[in-house]
Each structure stands twice: as structure tokens, then as C-alpha cells.
Amino acid sequence: MFRHQGTSRTIKHNLRIATILSFVAGIVNVSGFLAFGELTTNVTGHFALFISDVANFEFWKGTIYFLYFFSFLFGSFSSSFLIEKYRGNKRLNVFVLPTLLECLILISIALISDTGAIKYSDLIVCALLFAMGLQNSFVTKISNAVVRTTHLTGLFTDLGIELSQLLFPIYHPNRDTIKSTIKLRIFIIYFFFSGGLMGGFLYTRLNFKLNTLIVGAIILLVSLFFDDFRYRLIKTKRKYKQRRKAVNKNLFKSVI
């Protein structure tokens, strides 16, 4: 799911990566909001607050929201830059790089929170937005803009459009394709919601606080390890079958 691109990528690959990343995004969103009272997976709400401060001529106060925008944008840029830079390296799974960087940020924030009170909370919010920019960028690239996992506005819009298209089969005969994309959207929404519930439970009930972010990082790391292990296993099986086929072919020739 972290490797296939283009024509080799199927709806199953998108479903797998969407469920994992939307679940992690839900954890980050709730953890960031409970800790700092700020949205940490998208910048839509921050833009409204930025405009409000500008309208009231509180330009200096509004600069923090500009930093939030920039952090998400820079995360998206960094993810795409890493992917493009190492795309030519056939031995390297380029999508691992932004994922590992996201894990490093989440774990670092959790460890910083354990050392004492966080003095500069706005910097932590910027770091979380940067991490979500990383995630949203690489999942957009790997799925060819089919999957986005850090916010739900566009998802509900697309879901509403696709549900309406099912009512007009004459104009939209590709019902199977529409149903598969609807399934994908519902999965993302469900797991974003589930991740939020998990994050809230760990943060408040079990008093994990920002250590909840480590859970998100662990989920990403385990997914990477499993995906890599599965890829190597499939690759080994293919090589074994090819060798066995070649041996059988040579035996057949020798018999003839």
C-alpha cells in the first residue's frame, strides 16, 4: 500500500492506506485540540480566524495563523520534495521518508511534553500541522489525488456528489466505480472518527496527554514494517516460482 502507484494501484491499496492514515489523523486532531485548543490537521478554521484578526486591524495577532498556514504548506512541500528527489532510486521506497519524518515529529512532541510544561505551544501546533502536511501530501501523491486523510470537508462534498450520481444511472453508468469511491470515502470518515475517539479516550480517560501521539506513530511504523515485510515476502515467492519454472523448463529440454 506504500509502494504501488499508477496502474498497479488498486482500490484495496487505497482502502488500506486510507484507514491507517485517517485513523492517525483523527488521533492527532483530537490530541492537538485537547492540548492546545487548536485544530492541528487542517487550516480551514485558522483562515477564518486570520481574516477576523485582519478585519479588526489586529495584524500582529493574526500572524500566528499565517505561521499555521505556512507550516502545513511547508510540510506538504517537504514531503513532495523528498519523494521527487529520491524517485530515481529504485531500491528505495520514497514514501517511507515522509512517513518516518512524521513519526519522528509525533514522538518528539510526546517526549518534549514529558520533560515539563510546554512554554511555546504555538511551535508545537506548527509542528503538528507540518506533520499533517507531510501526510496529506504523500498520500495524495501515492493515490493520485484519490485519498486525502487529514480533513473531511472535501470528503463530504465528494460523497454527496457521488451519492446523487447513483440516482441517475443513465448519465452515470459506471456504478461499480462510483460505489467503490463511496466505500473509500466512508472508510476514511469512519476511521478519522474512530481515531478521534481513541485519541480522546487515551488523552483524557487514561491520562496519556500528548503521549497519545506515540500511539499514532507506532501505528504508522507497524504499518510500514508490515507493508515492507509483505512486499519482500511476495517478491521472494515470485523469485522462487520463476527459478522453479526455469528448472522445470531445463529438465524438460534435457529429456527431449
Side-chain angles (χ1 to χ4, degrees), residues 82-113:
L82 288 171
I83 292 168
E84 296 296 336
K85 183 173 177 60
Y86 295 102
R87 184 183 292 276
N89 190 338
K90 300 299 181 182
R91 299 181 62 185
L92 177 68
N93 180 4
V94 291
F95 294 101
V96 168
L97 298 175
T99 309
L100 290 177
L101 183 54
E102 179 184 346
C103 292
L104 179 63
I105 292 170
L106 297 181
I107 293 171
S108 298
I109 291 172
L111 293 177
I112 290 170
S113 70

Side-chain angles (χ1 to χ4, degrees), residues 69-83:
F69 307 150
F70 179 78
S71 297
F72 193 91
L73 174 65
F74 188 55
S76 178
F77 167 83
S78 300
S79 181
S80 182
F81 177 82
L82 288 171
I83 292 168

Side-chain angles (χ1 to χ4, degrees), residues 48-63:
L49 294 171
F50 173 72
I51 294 299
S52 176
D53 289 338
V54 171
N56 292 323
F57 299 100
E58 296 177 324
F59 300 106
W60 180 250
K61 184 180 177 182
T63 54

Side-chain angles (χ1 to χ4, degrees), residues 3 13-14 28 40 61 79 91 104 117 120 127 130 133 149 165 167 174 194 217 222 230 240 256:
R3 292 177 179 272
H13 295 133
N14 286 336
V28 173
T40 52
K61 184 180 177 182
S79 181
R91 299 181 62 185
L104 179 63
Y120 304 102
F130 176 84
T149 58
Q165 288 174 345
L167 302 177
N174 55 334
S194 299
V222 169
R230 187 170 175 272
Y240 174 75
I256 293 175

